[in-house]
Amino acid sequence: MSDIDLAAAFKALGDPTRLAVYKAIRAQDDICACKILKGMDITQPTLSHHVKQLCNAGLVSCHKEGRWVHYTASREASEELSRFLSF
């Protein structure tokens, strides 16, 4: 992950709702959007917007199963953020 990617990641995590969505995704290896929505007071379009920002920053990946989208946090990105913050 380059410095530009780090900046995008920190920018993406700078929004409180987006940070909460990221925490929910990181808490499980693979989480359905429906489960994220149950734990938060946001709508599906709002969730999609926030997850798109997390995906664009390289923090999250997604795949579709049936009519639901499942999300996974990038271990590589998480480790890179952790290494950066440990300096």
Side-chain angles (χ1 to χ4, degrees):
M1 188 179 265
S2 69
D3 289 343
I4 294 171
D5 293 329
L6 281 172
F10 284 117
K11 184 176 180 181
L13 295 172
D15 179 274
T17 302
R18 202 170 297 131
L19 181 60
V21 169
Y22 181 67
K23 285 180 180 180
I25 294 169
R26 278 205 54 206
Q28 297 189 19
D29 284 338
D30 184 64
I31 187 170
C32 177
C34 61
K35 289 184 181 178
I36 298 170
L37 287 170
K38 284 181 184 177
M40 305 186 80
D41 188 27
I42 59 174
T43 64
Q44 190 279 324
T46 300
L47 175 64
S48 293
H49 167 75
H50 287 301
V51 172
K52 181 179 179 183
Q53 299 300 315
L54 293 170
C55 287
N56 289 343
L59 296 168
V60 171
S61 62
C62 64
H63 65 278
K64 195 166 185 176
E65 288 186 22
R67 53 181 278 224
W68 288 104
V69 178
H70 289 248
Y71 301 103
T72 305
S74 166
R75 289 184 190 269
E76 180 183 289
S78 179
E79 290 170 1
E80 184 66 27
L81 288 171
S82 181
R83 278 192 297 273
F84 179 80
L85 292 172
S86 68
F87 278 104

